[in-house]
Amino acid sequence: MKRKNSILLSIAIIIIFVIGIYAFYPHSLADVVSSEESLYVLRHFHDVEDGEPILEYKEYEFQKGSEEVEQIREILGRYTYHRGLRILSWENDLGISEEGFFLQILSGSNAFSSGGTGKVMLNSRIYRMDYWGRSDNKAFLEEINDVLD
């Protein structure tokens, strides 16, 4: 009986370990932007003035191989995302951005969205950005904005 319990406990520990590796293994954001495709960036601005919402957006299109595409790929390469414990839920809400804007990057078949909450959406799935979440996500957004301005 003790042997059976120890085997079951060992299997449970292995399963938890494998799920932990799967959930927290970092993936590079550099793979989001294809070097073979054009890049589209949408920057949504939002604010409230006199109780009325203000919504504006700017669209950017960059051809493959352009300087901006390479800069954005380089920035993305410095950041990672991981699944986190969200693999156990189907939640797909990025939350409300306090940054005043929201960023979408479209390249090939990939769609990436971020609003500075520490969560990112990649192809309709929510992930965590890096391991420090909001601070890394804010720095990422600032770097992308520098390229766009």
Side-chain angles (χ1 to χ4, degrees), residues 41-57:
V41 180
L42 292 108
R43 191 165 48 169
H44 303 258
F45 300 94
H46 58 271
D47 201 358
V48 176
E49 188 174 295
D50 297 327
E52 295 293 320
I54 299 170
L55 302 171
E56 299 175 5
Y57 69 93

Side-chain angles (χ1 to χ4, degrees), residues 105-137:
I105 298 174
L106 309 166
S107 176
S109 63
N110 289 326
F112 172 84
S113 303
S114 178
T117 62
K119 300 177 205 171
V120 296
M121 183 180 284
L122 179 58
N123 299 328
S124 302
R125 294 292 306 225
I126 299 291
Y127 300 98
R128 295 293 299 174
M129 186 165 198
D130 287 326
Y131 294 100
W132 309 113
R134 287 185 67 124
S135 60
D136 286 344
N137 200 198

Side-chain angles (χ1 to χ4, degrees), residues 1-7:
M1 184 69 167
K2 283 186 176 188
R3 181 168 170 84
K4 183 177 178 182
N5 287 341
S6 66
I7 290 174

